[in-house]
Amino acid sequence: MSAGDSAAVSAVEGKLAELSTSCDLRTLPRRGKPASARTLNTAQIPLVASHPEVYEPCDDSFALVDALLSDKAQLLALQPSLCLEVGCGSGYVITSLAIMLRQLGSGTQYLATDINQHAVETTQATLGAHGIHADVIATDIVSGLEKRLAGMVDVVVVNPPYVPTPEEEIGIKGIAASWAGGLNGRQVIDRILPAVRELLSEKGWLYMIALEDNDPLGICHLMNEKGFASRVLLKRCTEEESLYVLKFWQDAAVSTNASQSGKSPGSDSSWLSPFRSFWHKNGSSS
Amino acid sequence: MRLLTHNFLASNVRGVSTGYPLALEVAKSSIKEVELNADFLRGILPKLDWRALVAAASAAGFPDLLAAEQPQEAELFADGAADAEGSAIRRLHHALLEIHVDEGALVCPDSGRSFPILKGVPNMLLHEDEVRH
């Protein structure tokens, strides 16, 4: 561990010790006791800041972080220079990403955006509590960054507003912006994807959550047409919903095959065959 | 907000041609040291707008930190440069990653629109009438 790394770990260890002896210890989440500092691989819930208008870490946040953890070796090997979270909320995911990749040191820089100003402050507090730095920007998706950061970001993580809602609920100020996804829960996702495609570097990876309702297969097909291979990293079913963590990466061969398949969805099932192979693809880049 | 981030931010107001670079106004700043990583700097160097970085460093109170002209790679990444006090690479590292603008503003060169920086966070959120459709 570098000096900065062990200082960050000691800072968290100290805070966790303080919290466990104080009388007003917050209720711990279903994830149980705080992990010992030695196994610190993610943000620690007692240190994640909160605000009434900011989405607290939940099943989807944990699924995304679990998926990133499962891909940790590949992420370390990728040696990303720039990592970005779109819609950082409480800061749980970007902080966890930075912690799990900490051995990359200052060779990796982190950025995060959120449309909710309370969320950007909450994310900063969460980052600070863990001794992690990322620049946080209050903006709509990546507005303001798209020209200069084009082709530069190596890792993008997104837990988008994916809940199917009436269209008028999208982008309403406050916490509803964290879940309201409009028709099929796709309206914000469908703005995020083209913006993120522009930002991704050639070797870059996108990790995104989607629900069954969002038609994840359809999302992957659209991405395939744009030259991105895809894989389901994780599927998690709760009583209410089935959620997927999808991973995308650029692969020139993909868009050629996707356009050659030619059939429209639903006409017959043969259009799925080239797509199925990408659905299960374990490409060399992943 | 670090100057690395400033270098990649542009105004997205409707009707603006480039909206870049944003003029930096600094009311309050701080220094946070972080380890120098030459590989990171080597990777980012070709993408930097050097003039925007020099102007930003000057606005942050460091007018003499960076040379007016971007240094050659050979000078930046020469053996031992990272350890030599006052070397070009250490100045670049300091400018990009160690200066934090805590309070200030980013001003669009085309429209004059001012985007506030509060508690280190630039607020690029547009009003409804500023959004491109």
Side-chain angles (χ1 to χ4, degrees):
Chain A
M1 286 205 273
S2 70
D5 187 39
S6 58
V9 168
S10 320
V12 176
E13 232 169 359
K15 288 226 168 99
L16 290 174
E18 246 175 65
L19 286 166
S20 65
T21 54
S22 75
C23 296
D24 55 326
L25 178 65
R26 279 202 279 159
T27 310
L28 291 170
R30 59 172 114 11
R31 300 222 120 192
K33 300 194 293 272
S36 81
R38 244 172 287 278
T39 61
L40 217 58
N41 248 318
T42 69
Q44 296 300 294
I45 291 296
L47 297 180
V48 175
S50 66
H51 184 284
E53 288 294 323
V54 177
Y55 189 76
E56 285 203 343
C58 199
D59 289 320
D60 49 356
S61 332
F62 301 136
L64 182 51
V65 168
D66 283 347
L68 291 168
L69 279 171
S70 75
D71 224 32
K72 181 179 149 179
Q74 284 87 332
L75 282 162
L76 290 169
L78 182 72
Q79 302 209 297
S81 315
L82 281 176
C83 301
L84 167 71
E85 180 174 17
V86 177
C88 48
S90 67
Y92 176 73
V93 175
I94 188 72
T95 305
S96 297
L97 180 63
I99 289 173
M100 74 177 75
L101 299 184
R102 66 182 179 280
Q103 68 196 71
L104 295 174
S106 60
T108 305
Q109 296 296 328
Y110 299 88
L111 273 177
T113 71
D114 205 290
I115 198 172
N116 178 334
Q117 294 179 61
H118 299 297
V120 300
E121 286 182 21
T122 307
T123 290
Q124 279 200 303
T126 299
L127 289 163
H130 292 82
I132 299 285
H133 182 81
D135 269 351
V136 190
I137 301 162
T139 193
D140 179 21
I141 304 181
V142 292
S143 176
L145 291 169
E146 65 275 28
K147 287 180 226 160
R148 288 278 295 139
L149 266 191
M152 290 203 35
V153 185
D154 300 316
V155 176
V156 179
V157 297
V158 193
N159 181 1
Y162 54 57
V163 178
T165 64
E167 188 172 342
E168 46 279 11
E169 286 186 21
I170 299 172
I172 289 180
K173 272 183 101 79
I175 197 170
S178 65
W179 67 67
L183 186 63
N184 299 319
R186 281 285 294 273
Q187 288 182 258
V188 185
I189 288 174
D190 288 347
R191 288 178 56 225
I192 290 174
L193 289 174
V196 166
R197 282 197 300 265
E198 285 304 304
L199 293 193
L200 282 168
S201 62
E202 218 177 295
K203 73 178 188 181
W205 296 342
L206 164 65
Y207 297 85
M208 190 179 80
I209 297 234
L211 291 189
E212 195 73 67
D213 287 338
N214 306 141
D215 182 16
L217 218 70
I219 293 173
C220 292
H221 189 65
L222 280 172
M223 291 293 279
N224 292 162
E225 284 179 346
K226 299 290 182 186
F228 284 80
S230 56
R231 188 154 82 88
V232 177
L233 280 191
L234 189 151
K235 181 180 176 182
R236 199 160 278 179
C237 302
T238 65
E239 266 170 35
E240 288 100 31
E241 57 199 21
S242 281
L243 61 89
Y244 296 79
V245 181
L246 306 173
K247 179 179 179 181
F248 301 98
W249 65 95
Q250 291 187 74
D251 185 336
V254 165
S255 54
T256 319
N257 285 336
S259 58
Q260 279 174 359
S261 72
K263 309 267 185 178
S264 57
S267 56
D268 64 48
S269 61
S270 64
W271 75 273
L272 278 173
S273 334
F275 179 74
R276 273 205 191 99
S277 67
F278 305 130
W279 184 255
H280 297 291
K281 186 181 167 91
N282 276 301
S284 56
S285 55
S286 71
Chain B
M1 183 203 70
R2 293 175 307 183
L3 302 193
L4 172 71
T5 300
H6 165 264
N7 208 261
F8 293 108
L9 271 173
S11 160
N12 213 14
V13 173
R14 183 169 62 182
V16 142
S17 52
T18 58
Y20 185 86
L22 294 162
L24 178 62
E25 293 172 359
V26 179
K28 188 164 154 260
S29 64
S30 51
I31 305 291
K32 289 182 194 122
E33 288 187 2
V34 70
E35 204 186 324
L36 189 155
N37 186 299
D39 289 332
F40 176 81
L41 295 171
R42 194 180 282 110
I44 209 100
L45 186 67
K47 316 284 175 62
L48 288 178
D49 184 307
W50 190 261
R51 274 180 43 191
L53 182 61
V54 172
S58 184
F62 295 89
D64 304 316
L65 179 62
L66 298 171
E69 295 300 316
Q70 181 170 316
Q72 297 294 322
E73 277 207 30
E75 180 196 349
L76 280 166
F77 303 111
D79 282 337
D83 298 313
E85 211 174 303
S87 64
I89 192 175
R90 282 182 64 161
R91 290 164 177 270
L92 174 59
H93 167 76
H94 188 70
L96 273 183
L97 295 178
E98 295 189 328
I99 302 171
H100 292 254
V101 178
D102 300 315
E103 312 283 332
L106 297 165
V107 184
C108 174
D110 300 323
S111 66
R113 160 70 142 102
S114 178
F115 297 93
I117 302 170
L118 291 170
K119 298 182 202 171
V121 175
N123 185 345
M124 309 303 294
L125 292 166
L126 299 174
H127 308 307
E128 185 53 45
D129 60 348
E130 293 174 315
V131 176
R132 289 171 202 266
H133 290 292

